Amino acid sequence: MIQHLKKLAPHLLVLVGFIAVALAYFHPVLQGKQMYQSDIVWSKGMSQKQLDYREDYPGEELYWTDSAFGGMPTYQLGARYPHDYIKAVDGFIRFLPRPADYLFVYFFSCYLLLLVLKIDFRIAILGALAFGFSTYFLVILEAGHNAKAHAIGYMPLVLAGILLAFRKKYIWGGILTALAMGLQIHANHYQMTYYLLLLVLVLGVVYLIYAYKKKELPHFFKTIGVLSVAVVIGLLMNATPLMATKEYADTSTRGKSELTIAEDGSKKEVTNGLNKDYILEYNYGIFESLNLFASRLMGGASYEALDKSSNIYKFWLSARLPRAQAADFASQTPTYWGKQPGTSGPAYVGAVVLFLFVLGLFLVKGKLKWWLLCGALLSLFLSYGKNMAFLSYFFIDYFPLYNKFRAVTSIQVILELCVPVLAALGLAAFFNKDVEASKKLKALLITIGITGGTAILLLLAKGTLGFEADRDAYFVQRFGPDFAKQLGGDFINALVADRKSMYTYDLVRSLILVLFAGGGLWLFLKERAKINVVLILIGALILFDLVGVNTRYVNEDDFVSARQVNKPFSPTAADNEILKDDSHYRVFDTTDGASRASYFHNSIWGYHAAKPGKYQELYDFYIAKQNTEVINMLNIKYIIGGEDQVMQNEEAYGNAWFVNSIKWVDTADEEMQALESTNAKTTAVVNKKYLIGGEQFNPTAQDQIILSNYKPDHLIYKTSVSSRQFAVFSEMYYEDGWNAYVDGKLIPHVRVNYVLRGCEIPKGDHTVEFKFEPQVVQTGSTIALAGSLIFVLIFFGALYKEFKTGNLA
């Protein structure tokens, strides 16, 4: 046992070092500050009602919220589930303040992967730092893409388990894979999980080819069997969120629509997923991918902060702006000239890391190299999107689930994993005494030639590039016609000059870093420098390179007081006026393009990557055009037009009402179109697939339906009718989970007016209830408990075996 602890000691010290580095980079967290992340701010708007609910009803969890899109499940809004034990494991690993916790997971996960690959721990440290400080991984934190960062962080851990199993460590490889897969899925970014599985598929193909050549197919298939069981266990531990998300996704904008028409009446493409244009809206230009090597080759982020030495600052001074204003304008210069709609920063992996990656291509032999190279190239080609349309369309049309995800630029995370891993393998091979010195020297010289030569060629090619962007005209026009006429040309010239300077500066920077890295390795070959000295040099270059670029985009300026993050919105005069009304209604904030209104009210808008599908269609057809009939049936009682501008809609139909008749339709198209000419106060539009009773009803003035008690997941109405009636409830219809009761007895309810609920009300005085009772949560929680128990039994069984055989004695 003591021997094992001695072996672990250096690795524990390494982990402590990773903690120190993560906290040093995000040092404002030590002062109690938090990073201001725009996406997280908007998500707080969506989830605030859940937080309030937990305070008001301790021990209960809310699985339905009315705060956004008229109403939706909270499955993708941070819902908590019973028996979610993998969450506790994740919390144990991510114990640091956010976002330092994600950076630590990057380091820890990659370090373990490199140890599994039998790389010297000193080189593994460098590889982990290279992976963790990859620019894109930090840029997404600044944007608030926490779930994406979370999922990326556990990618190397999953691969570590898989590769351990392929090394015939079946039990522990399977255990690590099950745990890592559970953690990766729990991160709740299934797009990243999907991309990881593509990389695993490439690994499987490469390893199968090698197994066939070496006649090791039994071992290969045994490993696949072990890993399959491990993945299933990882899935079981996440059964509740997986099942709930699948259920919701089918009804969201990422599921299949029932409509075959667009809002203008034309035919639309019906797909079981997102359409191609939306999927490929963000794609890298082929030339732009060279920013992996030189970060601001295409201008960096959409807007960069340029200093007083910049041409654009001098231009603003020449335009007679005060120095402070000129500096302010220069700090938000639109330097990006690529083809993406926008970007928060380049996907820079580092000149030194890319140099070592190329070195690895010449020194590393066998299946690991081919797997990592093929994985990197596949992700690179798919990130081109429309710029390599034949490949993208093939994956969209024929690869299951690929059409469920947008922004294919994100798939470069696979390249950003493969490159530092192969770079670490290449560095390990360079220091391997079994590799001939002549081969090392040849590989080193070729690598210097390729990377340094690329930088030189790009510098020589500068004169052939335009450095202008299609959006430049927009920026000129933004300042008005007089500016465009008198100063527009000078503005563009200054912008182009700064783009050229950035292009040159970063290429020269990358060239110098390559030469320093190559020089350090050359000194080692010539026995003029010890290995530890060279490793310190390489580590220093990697940190100088990546941290120097990263701090352009993610730095202490991104941190604010905790209160600004935890309470990001303050009520306006309009909000305060509305909040005086404590009844149940909806709010339409015409000034809110995200979820600010959701923070205070039951909003008809929100911020989410997968909006409720039918609601989004209703919005496109009618709400966006402010159709009064639809606005009234949605019980939109208040419309905000500005901070102090609020209009009360006296015509809103209220929480529920009785109709005179039902208009039957055959298709979803007819149902949607009928709303344009139907008085929703007197007529309910119902699809014929819902078989209910009569068509004509005769409500009287004495018939009443009143909402007597409201909770988002439990609504109670009191009804008093002289004859059987049909009631329309201004609540979103969601088939899986909502149940209707009359006097405690379950009754059927149907979808009416495309998005609302309706049911028959019997004669007399009754209590009608709607309860959100999602069976998927109950079933999923039971499965998750079983999966966790299975994992624990296997883990302790393996430990017992190790003790019994003396391996842990």
Side-chain angles (χ1 to χ4, degrees):
M1 179 66 74
I2 294 176
Q3 288 296 112
H4 288 291
L5 291 176
K6 286 183 178 180
K7 289 181 180 179
L8 282 175
H11 304 303
L12 293 176
L13 289 175
V14 170
L15 294 183
V16 171
F18 287 154
I19 292 170
V21 172
L23 290 174
Y25 189 89
F26 291 119
H27 60 87
V29 301
L30 298 175
Q31 303 165 14
K33 294 183 178 181
Q34 295 184 21
M35 179 180 279
Y36 187 90
Q37 302 167 289
S38 56
D39 273 28
I40 299 304
V41 167
W42 297 125
S43 70
K44 282 184 180 293
M46 294 281 289
S47 60
Q48 185 60 37
K49 295 295 177 68
Q50 287 170 261
L51 301 179
D52 294 342
Y53 187 92
R54 288 170 186 160
E55 287 187 11
D56 295 339
Y57 303 97
E60 295 185 27
E61 182 63 19
L62 184 66
Y63 295 116
W64 183 272
T65 180
D66 289 324
S67 63
F69 307 114
M72 65 180 293
T74 63
Y75 304 147
Q76 286 291 307
L77 298 175
R80 298 174 180 173
Y81 303 109
H83 305 306
D84 189 8
Y85 301 115
I86 195 72
K87 182 180 181 70
V89 178
D90 176 60
F92 176 78
I93 296 172
R94 292 193 307 112
F95 62 94
L96 292 178
R98 189 171 297 174
D101 58 341
Y102 294 124
L103 188 54
F104 172 74
V105 172
Y106 291 160
F107 295 151
F108 159 71
S109 187
C110 190
Y111 180 72
L112 189 58
L113 169 61
L114 295 175
L115 291 182
V116 167
L117 292 175
K118 295 186 175 181
I119 291 177
D120 183 285
F121 81 96
R122 296 168 297 178
I123 298 174
I125 293 171
L126 302 188
L129 292 172
F131 172 74
F133 277 125
S134 188
T135 300
Y136 180 79
F137 296 164
L138 295 191
V139 166
I140 59 176
L141 290 174
E142 189 272 339
H145 299 170
N146 288 358
K148 180 184 287 187
H150 196 171
I152 290 169
Y154 286 125
M155 282 182 174
L157 201 63
V158 175
L159 297 174
I162 292 172
L163 292 171
L164 193 61
F166 270 110
R167 283 178 46 204
K168 299 185 179 181
K169 305 289 185 179
Y170 299 116
I171 295 177
W172 288 110
I175 288 172
L176 181 56
T177 302
L179 178 63
M181 200 72 227
L183 291 166
Q184 214 276 340
I185 294 170
H186 180 267
N188 194 36
H189 201 293
Y190 302 130
Q191 184 171 5
M192 294 299 103
T193 303
Y194 184 84
Y195 291 160
L196 172 62
L197 294 180
L198 288 181
L199 179 61
V200 172
L201 181 62
V202 174
L203 182 150
V205 171
V206 172
Y207 273 54
L208 176 60
I209 293 171
Y210 271 79
Y212 176 77
K213 287 182 177 180
K214 295 187 176 182
K215 296 181 170 44
E216 294 181 348
L217 287 176
H219 160 60
F220 175 84
F221 287 112
K222 181 179 179 179
T223 304
I224 294 298
V226 169
L227 294 176
S228 298
V229 172
V231 170
V232 169
I233 293 173
L235 292 170
L236 292 178
M237 290 190 288
N238 287 279
T240 317
L242 284 173
M243 293 168 64
T245 298
K246 172 63 171 64
E247 180 186 276
Y248 170 70
D250 289 342
T251 68
S252 76
T253 50
R254 305 205 174 196
K256 186 175 181 179
S257 172
E258 290 185 65
L259 294 180
T260 63
I261 57 172
E263 52 267 25
D264 60 1
S266 62
K267 288 289 182 182
K268 74 169 187 177
E269 179 186 7
V270 179
T271 60
N272 188 16
L274 304 173
N275 66 63
K276 289 185 174 71
D277 288 338
Y278 187 60
I279 293 170
L280 303 177
E281 180 182 6
Y282 285 83
N283 37 201
Y284 279 114
I286 294 175
F287 183 75
E288 185 177 359
S289 59
L290 289 169
N291 67 13
L292 293 163
F293 177 65
S295 63
R296 293 186 298 182
L297 200 75
M298 301 296 292
S302 294
Y303 298 90
E304 293 263 343
L306 302 187
D307 59 26
K308 294 181 180 180
S309 66
S310 65
N311 292 282
I312 203 71
Y313 173 75
K314 295 171 184 175
F315 162 78
W316 288 120
L317 286 181
S318 69
R320 300 187 178 181
L321 263 65
R323 291 182 179 275
Q325 191 175 6
D328 183 54
F329 277 22
S331 69
Q332 300 181 57
T333 303
T335 53
Y336 177 70
W337 53 285
K339 297 297 183 182
Q340 295 186 70
T343 175
S344 298
Y348 183 62
V349 298
V352 177
V353 177
L354 208 55
F355 167 82
L356 296 173
F357 170 79
V358 176
L359 182 66
L361 293 177
F362 296 102
L363 292 180
V364 178
K365 304 298 180 184
K367 53 196 174 187
L368 280 175
K369 178 181 78 173
W370 293 113
W371 162 53
L372 293 167
L373 177 61
C374 291
L377 290 176
L378 177 64
S379 70
L380 179 65
F381 295 155
L382 285 173
S383 74
Y384 289 152
K386 291 180 180 178
N387 297 308
M388 197 168 281
F390 73 92
L391 181 64
S392 295
Y393 289 162
F394 174 80
F395 269 75
I396 290 171
D397 292 334
Y398 299 108
F399 259 69
L401 303 179
Y402 192 82
N403 65 350
K404 300 291 186 183
F405 309 112
R406 66 183 293 263
V408 294
T409 50
S410 296
I411 200 171
Q412 272 202 13
V413 300
I414 297 304
L415 178 147
E416 290 151 9
L417 167 58
C418 294
V419 167
V421 171
L422 186 52
L425 287 167
L427 194 59
F430 187 85
F431 291 119
N432 189 339
K433 296 178 181 179
D434 295 333
V435 180
E436 295 177 11
S438 59
K439 289 184 178 179
K440 295 178 184 177
L441 180 60
K442 182 179 179 181
L444 178 61
L445 294 175
I446 292 174
T447 300
I448 294 173
I450 291 173
T451 53
T454 298
I456 293 170
L457 286 174
L458 288 171
L459 285 168
L460 294 174
K462 184 171 74 169
T464 66
L465 303 173
F467 292 94
E468 293 188 14
D470 295 338
R471 62 182 64 82
D472 288 349
Y474 160 77
F475 293 114
V476 171
Q477 294 297 327
R478 191 176 66 174
F479 294 105
D482 291 339
F483 177 92
K485 183 177 180 180
Q486 299 172 22
L487 299 172
D490 293 338
F491 173 81
I492 297 296
N493 290 337
L495 198 55
V496 167
D498 283 328
R499 288 168 176 168
K500 287 182 178 179
S501 297
M502 295 165 73
Y503 178 95
T504 302
Y505 176 87
D506 275 26
L507 276 173
V508 172
R509 180 181 186 274
S510 292
L511 176 60
I512 292 172
L513 287 168
V514 163
L515 294 177
F516 269 103
L521 295 180
W522 183 83
L523 288 174
F524 172 78
L525 278 181
K526 296 302 179 180
E527 298 182 352
R528 296 180 184 178
K530 299 291 185 180
I531 183 172
N532 285 337
V533 174
V534 176
L535 286 175
I536 291 171
L537 172 65
I538 296 296
L541 290 173
I542 289 173
L543 289 175
F544 172 83
D545 183 11
L546 290 172
V547 173
V549 171
N550 294 343
T551 49
R552 297 172 184 168
Y553 308 105
V554 185
N555 51 56
E556 61 185 10
D557 293 339
D558 295 307
F559 287 82
V560 296
S561 68
R563 186 186 182 284
Q564 286 178 263
V565 174
N566 295 327
K567 294 186 177 181
F569 303 111
S570 298
T572 63
D575 294 322
N576 286 326
E577 182 65 26
I578 295 170
L579 291 171
K580 292 176 183 177
D581 186 342
D582 60 1
S583 63
H584 180 47
Y585 52 85
R586 293 192 180 90
V587 172
F588 184 7
D589 188 346
T590 61
T591 68
D592 181 23
S595 65
R596 185 196 169 283
S598 299
Y599 190 83
F600 300 103
H601 314 292
N602 290 336
S603 173
I604 63 163
W605 199 231
Y607 182 79
H608 203 274
K611 303 175 182 67
K614 284 188 167 49
Y615 178 82
Q616 180 64 52
E617 290 165 343
L618 184 76
Y619 187 93
D620 293 337
F621 270 79
Y622 297 114
I623 303 173
K625 301 169 186 176
Q626 298 194 21
N627 180 287
T628 55
E629 194 65 35
V630 171
I631 285 176
N632 290 338
M633 80 174 194
L634 290 176
N635 193 26
I636 297 173
K637 193 174 180 180
Y638 296 98
I639 300 174
I640 298 175
E643 288 190 2
D644 57 355
Q645 298 176 16
V646 58
M647 182 187 77
Q648 184 171 349
N649 176 23
E650 301 288 352
E651 304 299 320
Y653 293 164
N655 304 124
W657 60 93
F658 298 119
V659 294
N660 296 327
S661 63
I662 294 175
K663 180 186 291 187
W664 296 98
V665 293
D666 292 306
T667 65
D669 292 346
E670 293 177 6
E671 189 176 357
M672 180 66 84
Q673 290 174 320
L675 293 177
E676 188 170 10
S677 57
T678 299
N679 182 344
K681 185 67 173 177
T682 60
T683 304
V685 180
V686 183
N687 195 301
K688 287 182 180 177
K689 68 181 180 180
Y690 298 106
L691 298 177
I692 57 177
E695 297 182 5
Q696 299 297 322
F697 302 89
N698 296 296
T700 67
Q702 287 72 40
D703 293 336
Q704 288 187 334
I705 180 167
I706 299 171
L707 178 65
S708 62
N709 191 53
Y710 167 78
K711 287 170 64 178
D713 57 353
H714 187 189
L715 300 97
I716 302 175
Y717 303 83
K718 297 296 183 181
T719 66
S720 179
V721 293
S722 57
S723 62
R724 181 177 58 89
Q725 301 295 338
F726 187 83
V728 174
F729 299 85
S730 188
E731 302 295 335
M732 293 296 116
Y733 179 84
Y734 187 79
E735 184 174 4
D736 299 302
W738 278 107
N739 293 317
Y741 299 86
V742 171
D743 299 332
K745 182 180 179 181
L746 182 66
I747 63 166
H749 73 284
V750 299
R751 190 183 80 206
V752 303
N753 299 348
Y754 202 68
V755 297
L756 301 182
R757 305 175 205 161
C759 71
E760 288 192 359
I761 304 297
K763 177 182 177 181
D765 297 337
H766 300 281
T767 298
V768 178
E769 296 177 86
F770 276 97
K771 298 179 183 180
F772 192 58
E773 302 168 315
Q775 183 61 42
V776 69
V777 173
Q778 299 175 39
T779 304
S781 299
T782 302
I783 296 172
L785 174 61
S788 299
L789 289 174
I790 291 170
F791 176 81
V792 169
L793 288 173
I794 293 174
F795 176 76
F796 282 105
L799 278 182
Y800 175 75
K801 181 182 177 183
E802 293 292 326
F803 273 112
K804 197 169 183 180
T805 56
N807 291 333
L808 293 180

